[in-house]
Amino acid sequence: MSLNKNNLTLIFFIFFIGRSSAQESSGTPKDSLEVESLSEVLITGTRTLRQLSSLPLPAQIISKKQIQNINSVRLSNVLGEQTGLITVPDFGGGEGIQLQGLDSQYTLILIDGVPLIGRLAGTLDLNRITVGNIQQIEVVKGASSSLYGSEALGGVVNIITEIPKEGLDAEINYRQSSFNTSDLSTSLSHKKEQFSINGFLNRFSSDGYNLGNNPAINTVEPFENYTLNTKIGYELSEKTDAKISLRYFTQNQDFVASEALRGESDINEWNALLLFNHEFNSKWQSTFEFYTTRYKTNEFLDDDTGNRFSDNFFNQLMIRPEGRAIFKLNENNEFVGGIGLTHETLDRTNFSTTPLFNAPYIYAQWDAHLNDQLNVIVGARYDSHNEYESQLSPKAALRYEVNNKLAIKGSVGYGFKAPDFRQLYFDFNNTTVGYTVLGYNVVEEAIANLQNQGQIANILVPVSQFDSALKAESSVSFNLGFDYDISSSVKLNVNAFRNNINNLIDTQIIANKTNGQNVFSYFNISEVYTQGLEFNASWKPNNELSISGGYQLLYAKDKEAEAAFSNGEVFARQSPTSPAFQLSENDYFGLLNRSRHMANFKVFYNLPQWKLSTNLRVVYRSKFGLFDSNGNGYLDNFDSFVEGNAVVNLAVNKTLFDKYKLGIGADNLFNFTDAPNIPNVPGRIIYATLNFQL
Amino acid sequence: MKTIKLLFLSIFLISIVSCSNEDDNTVLLEVQTETVLNLHAPQIGGQGQPISGAFTKFSFETGTVTTSDTNWDIAFRGTTIIVNGGESLGTNDEPVRTGNAAAYIANGTMASVTEVDTDLLIADSTNGYAIPSGSGNGWYLYNPQLFLVTPIAGKILVFRTHDGRYAKVEILSYYQDAPENPNAMVDEGRYYTFNYVYQPNEDVTTF
């Protein structure tokens, strides 16, 4: 474990200060009302605090209370239980989120409004993020590049960490579960007059698990990680306040490629956010933000004689200053504007250069209540870039309150994802198999080199095709739905969505090598769409019982594939050795790893006389295809599919002496596994938790 | 007068055409639809090693494997299929082309490919075979994880025989006895099972 000792000392020092200064103010009553109201407002949709129920966008809040009720410790578990969200394993070992049928690389993940980086192959691993110090998680669906720029194509997940409350607060949460997995979170926070501070430390470790047949290689190797987080706030005056937020994450994991090749893999990540808020008057308010983050990985493999076999590193840096202002013209008109610059560099194994991105941007938004019933939000953002075409991302949303029970809301937005460093600068030669992958911008030079070495048999795509820049992947997203409060205890919400994605980047063979292998590069190839319907209903007959259900219908298809099917160009066989027949349009299933149906059902029940809270959650996804098994290049109804599955989770929590909470439960109660197809489900997890709150 | 002349001429022409049709019908040989099971196509070497070994020759006219040096139409060795026309690529033990055979691959099913597009026919040459070799290039896909050769659905091999007749072929299996779900670890490979339709009449390009 390469945990930096200085950081540890710093954190404990902060704890100590927090504790000593806390003693004066112990006994201050907690402002529970503030917590309540916070849980109903979100900032992600508009960058101003807005009531969830009145927002014209499809959005969702997952509160700390919900997270604690289900005894969840990592972000992946929490998100995986929400309607329309599904965690999917990536070949890099991470677990990302699929949202409205879009891959995890198209959802922006923020912590306190600033982005997390470190997407080695596109996916940001959600297991990296502890939920121990989370106030709430905000999910906004639909393209949101009008406020957030690149990556916010499918939606935005914003993790809001805890804000220190008046007085002293301390919390310890410990969870021990199957596979010798343990998670310990401690937090301490203090606020007195102008000054607030909190410190958070999380340790998460596991022996991993093995679903495969090879005892030498685990599906997930043993690991240990630490998250440290501290926030310091100071009110310089009644109108001005400053905040510093520091986060450090470090992980060490075994890295095993075969019986003979073993090594380690390390992640080190830090984030620093400095923030100034100033309120000029009742109308003007401004924020200056300076954000820096670095994500570093190192991994190596040694052979059985102790010689170094491979060494890989990844070192990404992002610096982002941003200024923004809110202008409240009157009760009904609010303007938000911002200007900033994203500076990014990446140093990585198999890269031809150490590339540098500079992307200044500017955005503005008008939020208007045109009358008592109609709320309109119009906004746009302009992103300039030194490596690819500039992007203008407009968005419009409106909400119309038909009566106090029914509201209709709709939005249209543009989203984009800039080509990442890998798609531009990768220069990778697989030494064991012999193929080559080239980033778009290095093709010309690399092909020339390979030709000089006599490695190219023939060129399939002329090098001149790479003269014009690779385009950003972009989408236009539509959402239309309604919220209907059937009664005070029954709520229904329905949203229909459609995302039209253009210029999707995919790999394609550009040349044959003399060794029989190929050279691949990245192209703007496909046009795909995802469309469907999301449906959420909840029933709260009293304070002790809550029943909810969610469902998503999804069609995710490639337009070119659709055309091939309708032109009768696609064939299949009933069995591998029966004569072939032509497939029709109805036989096209769609994109890989998409389930047509996803559903969840949750019951939360409290027994106040026993200080007991229980819940049962069922999460279902219907069949999906992971690869084209019959070799016609498309996923059709005659391919073999991964069967649909349902996972049942159960939790029981009991409060003792007011400050302690004891929990037991089982995630995946019926021990569902599907080793080759769903490697991120290890089987039944039995756990116990202990929580102490001051 | 002119119109009457024309009328006579047309009747005369029509009768000739229809007569000739009837004549043909009486002489036409029946189109043959057959299945070949377990045509063994062994090879020596491969996977980086030089490939050699005799090709297994096949004649559509007799519907059987043949050892004739001249009366063969197509021949098999491993996943490679050659025709008795054009020139040798020059690999070891490749037979001399003596006929006028050629081939192309049509997209479709046995039922939907009903006519030969003679413009597409090419013979083997020193640059490559009429039926391209390699996974995904010709008639099969190779799955490197399962080591499995699978015929691509919707690929119909259209041949001109060594003596100018036509045939269409759909390959069904590369494994002995054409198992439902072949397993490269268990099932013996290089055993072709295919359906074919042979048009035995000279210069008739429909099936």
Side-chain angles (χ1 to χ4, degrees):
Chain A
M1 195 76 233
S2 65
L3 187 65
N4 191 322
K5 287 207 174 61
N6 290 329
N7 281 303
L8 257 183
T9 325
L10 176 75
I11 292 303
F12 282 114
F13 181 63
I14 290 162
F15 265 68
F16 180 71
I17 293 181
R19 185 165 276 281
S20 56
S21 58
Q23 267 153 16
E24 304 157 38
S25 68
S26 52
T28 316
K30 270 184 242 168
D31 191 354
S32 57
L33 264 177
E34 193 184 86
V35 183
E36 279 296 302
S37 62
L38 259 177
S39 67
E40 289 173 18
V41 297
L42 78 172
I43 195 161
T44 314
T46 55
R47 304 209 87 155
T48 56
L49 283 176
R50 279 289 304 255
Q51 199 118 36
L52 174 68
S53 56
S54 74
L55 192 72
L57 307 165
Q60 190 180 359
I61 291 175
I62 305 156
S63 68
K64 177 173 177 143
K65 200 179 155 201
Q66 275 172 279
I67 296 168
Q68 287 194 331
N69 269 334
I70 64 171
N71 295 323
S72 191
V73 288
R74 304 316 278 186
L75 186 62
S76 47
N77 311 119
V78 181
L79 292 181
E81 291 190 7
Q82 311 306 318
T83 308
L85 301 185
I86 190 164
T87 53
V88 287
D90 187 44
F91 57 84
E95 229 183 321
I97 193 87
Q98 193 186 94
L99 185 151
Q100 288 193 344
L102 293 171
D103 272 336
S104 66
Q105 51 185 318
Y106 305 108
T107 294
L108 182 65
I109 309 279
L110 308 170
I111 287 195
D112 292 325
V114 286
L116 283 175
I117 57 167
R119 295 170 181 261
L120 270 73
T123 296
L124 196 134
D125 185 11
L126 299 173
N127 287 313
R128 209 168 99 193
I129 301 156
T130 171
V131 297
N133 62 335
I134 287 178
Q135 180 70 45
Q136 65 183 28
I137 301 165
E138 305 176 356
V139 182
V140 174
K141 293 178 180 174
S144 308
S145 292
S146 64
L147 283 177
Y148 298 101
S150 181
E151 286 179 23
L153 200 136
V156 180
V157 174
N158 193 357
I159 299 143
I160 310 294
T161 59
E162 279 192 288
I163 304 147
K165 287 163 259 176
E166 198 63 41
L168 177 73
D169 213 4
E171 189 176 344
I172 296 173
N173 193 69
Y174 179 67
R175 172 174 145 143
Q176 179 71 38
S177 59
S178 310
F179 310 106
N180 195 20
T181 304
S182 67
D183 185 280
L184 174 68
S185 283
T186 57
S187 66
L188 194 63
S189 84
H190 172 62
K191 186 178 178 194
K192 198 196 173 199
E193 286 154 18
Q194 300 101 320
F195 184 71
S196 72
I197 185 166
N198 72 5
F200 171 79
L201 168 64
N202 173 267
R203 181 188 180 278
F204 182 52
S205 70
S206 174
D207 283 355
Y209 57 89
N210 191 0
L211 296 169
N213 302 322
N214 185 346
I217 305 171
N218 291 313
T219 311
V220 170
E221 297 292 345
F223 64 86
E224 179 183 24
N225 69 44
Y226 292 82
T227 308
L228 306 167
N229 197 180
T230 182
K231 275 194 207 175
I232 301 165
Y234 188 72
E235 286 171 23
L236 299 158
S237 73
E238 237 171 62
K239 307 253 178 205
T240 313
D241 67 275
K243 274 178 202 153
I244 297 174
S245 173
L246 303 167
R247 178 178 171 274
Y248 178 66
F249 172 82
T250 180
Q251 174 170 290
N252 176 276
Q253 184 165 27
D254 292 354
F255 181 34
V256 181
S258 69
E259 217 152 320
L261 296 173
R262 314 179 73 88
E264 277 182 28
S265 132
D266 284 312
I267 301 173
N268 285 288
E269 178 194 15
W270 56 259
N271 319 59
L273 177 66
L274 178 68
L275 209 124
F276 287 100
N277 278 314
H278 183 70
E279 212 180 301
F280 293 96
N281 51 45
S282 62
K283 291 189 169 185
W284 277 100
Q285 190 191 322
S286 72
T287 302
F288 175 75
E289 194 176 84
F290 191 86
Y291 178 59
T292 321
T293 178
R294 186 183 285 281
Y295 183 85
K296 262 174 88 168
T297 68
N298 280 293
E299 58 179 36
F300 68 87
L301 285 172
D302 285 347
D303 62 21
D304 44 9
T305 58
N307 289 322
R308 189 55 45 101
F309 174 78
S310 77
D311 230 333
N312 286 302
F313 61 89
F314 179 99
N315 186 350
Q316 187 180 3
L317 172 75
M318 181 195 257
I319 299 173
R320 199 167 85 173
E322 179 177 303
R324 57 176 176 269
I326 300 172
F327 175 63
K328 216 169 174 169
L329 180 68
N330 52 40
E331 275 289 285
N332 296 324
N333 287 283
E334 196 173 45
F335 295 86
V336 177
I339 185 161
L341 169 79
T342 306
H343 168 88
E344 261 183 284
T345 60
L346 176 64
D347 194 9
R348 184 180 184 172
T349 332
N350 302 314
F351 259 42
S352 59
T353 56
T354 304
L356 184 149
F357 282 177
N358 273 323
Y361 58 87
I362 183 163
Y363 61 85
Q365 175 187 268
W366 173 43
D367 186 348
H369 289 84
L370 299 178
N371 57 41
D372 284 350
Q373 290 168 304
L374 188 62
N375 175 210
V376 176
I377 296 175
V378 185
R381 172 167 159 144
Y382 182 78
D383 284 85
S384 173
H385 201 282
N386 65 330
E387 286 295 335
Y388 64 90
E389 269 179 38
S390 303
Q391 299 287 321
L392 177 69
S393 318
K395 182 162 184 169
L398 66 85
R399 179 177 182 275
Y400 181 73
E401 216 169 284
V402 180
N403 54 44
N404 58 8
K405 290 188 164 188
L406 179 67
I408 296 167
K409 49 191 194 179
S411 60
V412 185
Y414 176 85
F416 74 95
K417 181 183 173 290
D420 64 27
F421 287 121
R422 182 177 44 108
Q423 290 159 339
L424 295 177
Y425 301 106
F426 213 29
D427 187 355
F428 175 67
N429 185 31
N430 184 308
T431 44
T432 41
V433 183
Y435 63 87
T436 300
V437 186
L438 299 175
Y440 192 89
N441 290 4
V442 304
V443 165
E444 196 172 344
E445 198 188 326
I447 287 282
N449 282 341
L450 290 171
Q451 268 177 323
N452 288 338
Q453 295 158 13
Q455 289 197 47
I456 298 293
N458 61 76
I459 290 187
L460 302 173
V461 179
V463 176
S464 60
Q465 282 229 347
F466 295 85
D467 288 348
S468 60
L470 190 64
K471 292 193 182 76
E473 297 168 285
S474 65
S475 92
V476 178
S477 87
F478 303 88
N479 284 276
L480 182 65
F482 63 84
D483 294 332
Y484 184 37
D485 295 352
I486 298 168
S487 71
S488 61
S489 64
V490 182
K491 288 180 170 36
L492 176 69
N493 126 11
V494 176
N495 182 48
F497 60 87
R498 163 114 182 170
N499 296 290
N500 286 326
I501 301 127
N502 290 323
N503 291 324
L504 207 66
I505 296 173
D506 209 346
T507 49
Q508 193 170 301
I509 297 172
I510 61 164
N512 304 129
K513 293 177 77 174
T514 45
N515 64 2
Q517 294 294 334
N518 297 311
V519 181
F520 298 85
S521 187
Y522 299 89
F523 280 88
N524 293 115
I525 299 178
S526 332
E527 288 186 13
V528 306
Y529 69 83
T530 73
Q531 65 180 26
L533 199 65
E534 188 184 320
F535 173 98
N536 283 293
S538 69
W539 180 46
K540 284 179 189 155
N542 55 50
N543 271 339
E544 315 309 338
L545 179 65
S546 146
I547 298 173
S548 67
Y551 170 76
Q552 180 184 272
L553 174 72
L554 174 70
Y555 291 88
K557 294 189 171 181
D558 183 309
K559 289 181 186 170
E560 210 174 291
E562 258 186 342
F565 275 84
S566 65
N567 294 341
E569 294 161 9
V570 188
F571 302 87
R573 300 171 196 277
Q574 199 68 250
S575 78
T577 49
S578 64
F581 51 88
Q582 200 176 52
L583 295 180
S584 75
E585 215 167 329
N586 298 332
D587 293 317
Y588 177 43
F589 189 83
L591 303 181
L592 300 176
N593 210 348
R594 265 73 174 183
S595 292
R596 183 82 71 239
H597 310 283
M598 275 161 53
N600 62 69
F601 177 76
K602 300 172 186 175
V603 181
F604 287 80
Y605 185 55
N606 295 329
L607 292 148
Q609 64 273 35
W610 294 342
K611 292 185 174 175
L612 208 64
S613 75
T614 62
N615 60 72
L616 176 84
R617 295 110 54 210
V618 185
V619 181
Y620 168 80
R621 78 179 286 197
S622 67
K623 71 167 185 180
F624 57 98
L626 279 181
F627 60 96
D628 161 39
S629 61
N630 59 12
N632 58 12
Y634 303 100
L635 185 65
D636 59 73
N637 290 334
F638 298 90
D639 277 307
S640 49
F641 284 83
V642 181
E643 276 177 54
N645 69 73
V647 169
V648 179
N649 305 324
L650 189 71
V652 181
N653 292 303
K654 179 166 170 58
T655 309
L656 295 164
F657 317 114
D658 291 335
K659 287 182 174 157
Y660 293 89
K661 204 180 79 176
L662 206 62
I664 54 162
D667 289 340
N668 190 0
L669 186 64
F670 297 108
N671 198 23
F672 163 78
T673 56
D674 185 345
N677 300 315
I678 314 176
N680 60 330
V681 175
R684 184 191 299 121
I685 294 174
I686 307 282
Y687 63 80
T689 65
L690 177 66
N691 181 281
F692 166 77
Q693 192 154 16
L694 191 69
Chain B
M1 255 326 258
K2 255 188 181 165
T3 43
I4 292 172
K5 262 189 180 171
L6 259 174
L7 190 69
F8 270 105
L9 190 69
S10 340
I11 291 167
F12 175 71
L13 279 172
I14 288 168
S15 58
I16 283 181
V17 171
S18 50
C19 276
S20 67
N21 265 351
E22 272 164 35
D23 284 353
D24 266 9
N25 273 350
T26 51
V27 237
L28 267 185
L29 298 167
E30 211 173 306
V31 170
Q32 294 163 21
T33 304
E34 303 285 344
T35 299
V36 171
L37 203 71
N38 293 332
L39 182 144
H40 190 202
Q43 77 173 30
I44 300 160
Q47 283 167 347
Q49 302 301 312
I51 295 169
S52 63
F55 278 77
T56 305
K57 295 176 225 164
F58 182 82
S59 161
F60 286 110
E61 192 185 353
T62 61
T64 56
V65 168
T66 172
T67 52
S68 163
D69 287 335
T70 52
N71 291 332
W72 60 279
D73 300 314
I74 59 174
F76 303 79
R77 183 172 71 187
T79 57
T80 306
I81 300 174
I82 61 171
V83 298
N84 188 4
E87 288 184 57
S88 164
L89 194 67
T91 67
N92 294 326
D93 306 321
E94 214 176 302
V96 178
R97 313 301 200 276
T98 60
N100 190 28
Y104 70 90
I105 299 178
N107 289 320
T109 60
M110 283 300 262
S112 73
V113 177
T114 55
E115 188 155 11
V116 180
D117 185 345
T118 51
D119 291 341
L120 298 177
L121 286 165
I122 54 165
D124 289 345
S125 77
T126 49
N127 295 323
Y129 298 123
I131 303 294
S133 53
S135 171
N137 300 329
W139 65 272
Y140 71 93
L141 279 178
Y142 176 66
N143 181 327
Q145 279 84 44
L146 302 172
F147 311 105
L148 203 65
V149 172
T150 315
I152 301 170
K155 298 288 179 197
I156 303 298
L157 314 186
V158 180
F159 294 103
R160 182 171 68 209
T161 65
H162 76 286
D163 56 353
R165 270 79 171 174
Y166 296 98
K168 58 180 174 182
V169 170
E170 182 182 26
I171 298 170
L172 300 177
S173 177
Y174 187 66
Y175 295 92
Q176 195 166 19
D177 300 328
E180 269 285 286
N181 289 299
N183 177 345
M185 298 294 124
V186 179
D187 298 306
E188 195 74 36
R190 297 169 183 160
Y191 283 89
Y192 283 85
T193 293
F194 58 89
N195 285 334
Y196 73 89
V197 172
Y198 175 58
Q199 172 55 273
N201 302 290
E202 205 167 355
D203 295 331
V204 181
T205 56
T206 55
F207 306 103

